[in-house]
């Protein structure tokens, strides 16, 4: 699915800003048919939870309503006019006037709805959106809603981050020609003679003719072709490299109905797993960086360009070359920025919390089978499959994305795991045969008990020896970690990436003996992990949990959120940041020299 853009044939109007807002309990029947009651307004993009000083909003379970007027420009005659929502968490229903136009499930991927028949150029229409934050066994991520004797709903979910909700990303009104470029797929390859092939496919129903031109960053045409699919040869390509991005533009022109133009950024690069290595452009790549979150004070998960630019500045400062979009697809702005700045991305679906019995079920309730008709079942898997389809449809053309991560910490040692995941791995490979596939394994599933690791190309491991186990005893933790990593390496012979390792650390808390929660412990913990990684050749990367402190759900035992950040929630570095910086800048320098 293409990201909307302006071109000589396309127009775009932002619908960001303040919308009217009401909880379902306040909105009455058929809220779309009248002005929402009350005076509350909610900014878009943002989560609604932390805006007001009101626990009823913050902890609301169920539907809320957003509403505003939209003017359709009279100059848009004959165009195809649509509304585009970049992300609504988690289920959206969009009404224009009295008409329910669409429903979308999944809080982190975009959707469009055409306004044919409900709004014409020159009209002013009321757009009302219902936003449902409930997580069930039919949603990804999954959860359970229960209602108590007084009729109060409560939401259980098995991931620790707060279930923020709302219109989290931009909303646009857009116009394209009726015959337009609906989708483009680009795959790049390198030949032995040093030239590159850019294969493209354009989906433009009804087009009389399709022409493409590939331009370099100076706007010079380096290759051209015609037809809805083809291969362009670039004799002396500038490659997209980690840390040294280079982007061509594939300009697509279609004829018919006035014609349409779309320009897609293209990075020429290859990704491949060979033996226990992941190769980018044929060279082994070692990941340094973080698992992140889209999370900030007041905004919750609302996208914010200020935070985007600042976070990437911090990634660069600390010497990180990559991050994982834990635990859901991030805003498209983030991926485009990564493309332009040469940052490597492990792109993850929203399938988190698919483990009912972790650490004896601390995330909710006693023992329950994770995979069963009454828990995660065929309906869950279909929602998961749809999440994978929408992720790949959205992100397939980003050179920064080198690995699809289809789930975080599922119960991969439990009965039913293989039956649940095997079709999803197949689906991912079928949708994108060019990128390796992974999942982030949780420590309950060890090399000998995990039921799915062999299905994947890279084994990502989230490990907490020295925190959740051997708490405070780094010597014992070191032995456990090394023993386990060696076992994975021997048994599978695949690349191992450590996609989580970290400890809760209170910024400013110091202790001469480096006890847990102190800044000293965070340093000693990471240094220990790094010693182990450096001894095991199959380890192809380290991503610390987490980039920054983040907000967690009510009821979990955390002091004002998860404090495993290397930066605080307002992006101040803890002492460990300088330790990481020294290591990663050193690794970066070594990589540049080789
Ligand atoms: C892992 C999860 C991550 C948590 C982290 C933690 O993947 O989302 O935040 O542990 O407990 O289980 O800090």
């Amino acid at each position: 699915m293409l990201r909307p853009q302006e071109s000589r044939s396309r127009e775009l109007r932002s619908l960001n800003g303040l919308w009217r807002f009401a909880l379902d309990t306040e909105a009455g029947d058929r809220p779309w048919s009248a002005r929402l009651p009350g005076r509350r307004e909610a900014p878009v993009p943002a989560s609604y939870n932390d805006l007001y000083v009101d626990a009823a909003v913050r902890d609301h379970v169920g539907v809320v309503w957003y509403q505003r007027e939209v003017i359709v420009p009279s100059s848009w005659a004959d165009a195809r006019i649509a509304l585009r929502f970049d992300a609504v968490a988690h289920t959206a229903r969009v009404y224009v006037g009295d008409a329910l136009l669409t429903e979308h499930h999944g809080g982190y991927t975009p959707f469009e709805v055409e306004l044919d028949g409900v709004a014409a150029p020159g009209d002013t229409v009321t757009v009302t959106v219902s936003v449902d934050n409930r997580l069930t066994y039919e949603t990804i991520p999954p959860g359970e809603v229960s209602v108590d004797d007084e009729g109060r709903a409560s939401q259980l979910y098995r991931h620790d981050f707060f279930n923020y909700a709302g219109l989290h990303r931009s909303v646009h009104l857009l116009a394209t020609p009726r015959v337009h470029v609906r989708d483009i797929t680009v795959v790049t390859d390198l030949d032995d003679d040093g030239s590159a092939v850019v294969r493209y496919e354009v989906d433009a129903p009804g087009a009389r003719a399709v022409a493409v031109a590939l331009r370099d960053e100076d706007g010079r045409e380096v290759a051209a072709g015609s037809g809805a699919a083809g291969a362009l040869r670039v004799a002396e390509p500038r490659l997209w490299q980690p840390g040294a991005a280079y982007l061509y533009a594939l300009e697509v022109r279609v004829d018919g109905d006035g014609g349409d133009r779309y320009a897609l950024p293209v990075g020429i690069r290859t990704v491949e797993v060979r033996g226990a290595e992941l190769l980018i452009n044929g060279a082994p790549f070692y990941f340094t960086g973080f698992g992140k979150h889209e999370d900030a004070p007041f905004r919750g998960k609302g996208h914010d360009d200020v935070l985007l630019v600042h976070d990437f500045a911090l990634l660069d400062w600390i010497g990180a070359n990559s991050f994982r979009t834990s635990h859901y697809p991030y805003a498209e702005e983030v991926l485009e920025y990564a493309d332009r700045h040469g940052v490597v991305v492990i792109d993850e679906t929203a399938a988190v919390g698919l483990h009912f019995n972790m650490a004896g079920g601390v995330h909710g309730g006693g023992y329950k089978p994770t995979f069963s008709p009454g828990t995660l079942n065929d309906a869950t898997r279909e929602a998961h499959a749809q999440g994978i389809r929408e992720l790949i449809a959205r992100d397939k053309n980003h050179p920064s994305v080198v690995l699809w991560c289809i789930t975080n910490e599922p119960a991969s040692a439990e009965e039913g795991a293989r039956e649940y995941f095997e079709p999803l791995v197949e689906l991912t490979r079928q949708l994108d045969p060019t990128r390796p596939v992974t999942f982030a394994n949780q420590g309950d599933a060890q090399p000998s008990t995990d039921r799915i690791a062999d299905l994947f190309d890279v084994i990502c491991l989230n490990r907490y020896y020295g925190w959740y186990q051997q708490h405070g005893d780094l010597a014992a933790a070191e032995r456990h970690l090394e023993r386990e990593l060696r076992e994975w390496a021997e048994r599978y012979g695949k690349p191992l990436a450590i996609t989580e390792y970290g400890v809760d650390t209170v910024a400013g808390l110091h202790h001469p003996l480096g006890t847990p929660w102190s800044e000293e412990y965070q340093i000693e913990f990471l240094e220990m992990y790094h010693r182990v990684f450096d001894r095991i050749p199959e380890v192809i990367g380290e991503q610390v949990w987490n980039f920054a402190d983040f907000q967690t759900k009510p009821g979990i035992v955390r002091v004002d959120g998860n404090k495993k950040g290397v930066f605080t929630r307002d992006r101040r570095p803890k002492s460990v940041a300088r330790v990481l910086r020294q290591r990663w800048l050193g690794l970066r320098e070594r990589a540049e020299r080789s």
Side-chain angles (χ1 to χ4, degrees), residues 35-52:
R35 200 182 163 86
L36 288 182
R39 297 200 161 265
R40 256 201 277 253
E41 297 179 44
V44 174
S47 301
Y48 59 75
N49 308 78
D50 291 347
L51 297 173
Y52 320 103

Side-chain angles (χ1 to χ4, degrees), residues 99-147:
L100 170 62
L101 293 194
T102 195
E103 179 168 323
H104 181 263
H105 300 267
Y108 303 94
T109 41
F111 59 96
E112 275 184 17
V113 51
E114 293 185 8
L115 298 189
D116 255 5
V118 286
D123 286 354
T124 299
V125 292
T126 302
V127 175
T128 309
V129 184
S130 88
V131 178
D132 191 341
N133 67 355
R134 280 172 293 192
L135 302 173
T136 68
Y137 293 150
E138 292 176 14
T139 64
I140 288 292
E144 269 168 59
V145 176
S146 53
V147 180

Side-chain angles (χ1 to χ4, degrees), residues 67-314:
Q67 189 179 64
R68 64 166 280 166
E69 274 64 55
V70 173
I71 300 171
V72 183
S74 48
S75 57
W76 287 8
D78 305 328
R80 167 188 162 266
I81 298 168
L83 285 168
R84 206 242 199 202
F85 294 82
D86 284 2
V88 180
H90 295 282
T91 300
R93 283 184 194 85
V94 179
Y95 299 79
V96 174
D98 267 348
L100 170 62
L101 293 194
T102 195
E103 179 168 323
H104 181 263
H105 300 267
Y108 303 94
T109 41
F111 59 96
E112 275 184 17
V113 51
E114 293 185 8
L115 298 189
D116 255 5
V118 286
D123 286 354
T124 299
V125 292
T126 302
V127 175
T128 309
V129 184
S130 88
V131 178
D132 191 341
N133 67 355
R134 280 172 293 192
L135 302 173
T136 68
Y137 293 150
E138 292 176 14
T139 64
I140 288 292
E144 269 168 59
V145 176
S146 53
V147 180
D148 68 13
D149 295 345
E150 277 147 39
R152 276 185 323 187
S154 64
Q155 172 77 63
L156 176 135
Y157 47 93
R158 295 178 170 84
H159 53 79
D160 73 341
F161 57 94
F162 190 91
N163 185 33
Y164 281 114
L167 302 190
H168 280 162
R169 299 178 191 157
S170 289
V171 184
H172 283 100
L173 182 70
L174 58 89
T176 70
R178 288 185 181 278
V179 173
H180 63 282
V181 181
R182 197 163 64 176
D183 196 16
I184 307 172
T185 308
V186 164
V187 172
T188 64
D189 221 335
L190 297 175
D191 275 345
D192 292 341
D193 64 2
S195 67
V197 189
V198 175
R199 292 195 178 78
Y200 72 89
E201 240 182 86
V202 174
D203 175 24
R208 278 201 305 273
V210 177
V212 300
L214 191 70
R215 294 188 188 280
D216 67 15
E217 286 191 354
D218 298 319
R220 275 189 298 263
E221 184 176 299
V222 296
S226 58
L232 307 175
R233 185 158 294 277
V234 184
E236 288 175 12
R238 280 272 301 268
L239 300 186
W240 188 95
Q241 295 280 21
Y246 190 88
L247 293 175
Y248 293 86
L250 184 74
E251 279 180 9
V252 178
R253 278 174 288 141
V254 304
D255 287 343
D257 179 36
D260 188 22
R261 297 275 175 105
Y262 193 93
L264 180 79
V266 172
I268 298 180
R269 63 111 185 83
T270 61
V271 190
E272 184 192 346
V273 168
R274 201 184 294 156
E277 291 184 323
L278 182 135
L279 310 175
I280 299 182
N281 301 327
F285 182 71
Y286 190 87
F287 295 83
T288 58
F290 302 94
K292 287 184 94 256
H293 263 300
E294 293 189 317
D295 172 87
F298 319 123
R299 303 179 155 68
K301 294 202 171 308
H303 174 72
D304 175 13
D305 280 342
V306 174
L307 203 64
L308 163 72
V309 172
H310 192 59
D311 278 4
F312 273 78
L314 290 174

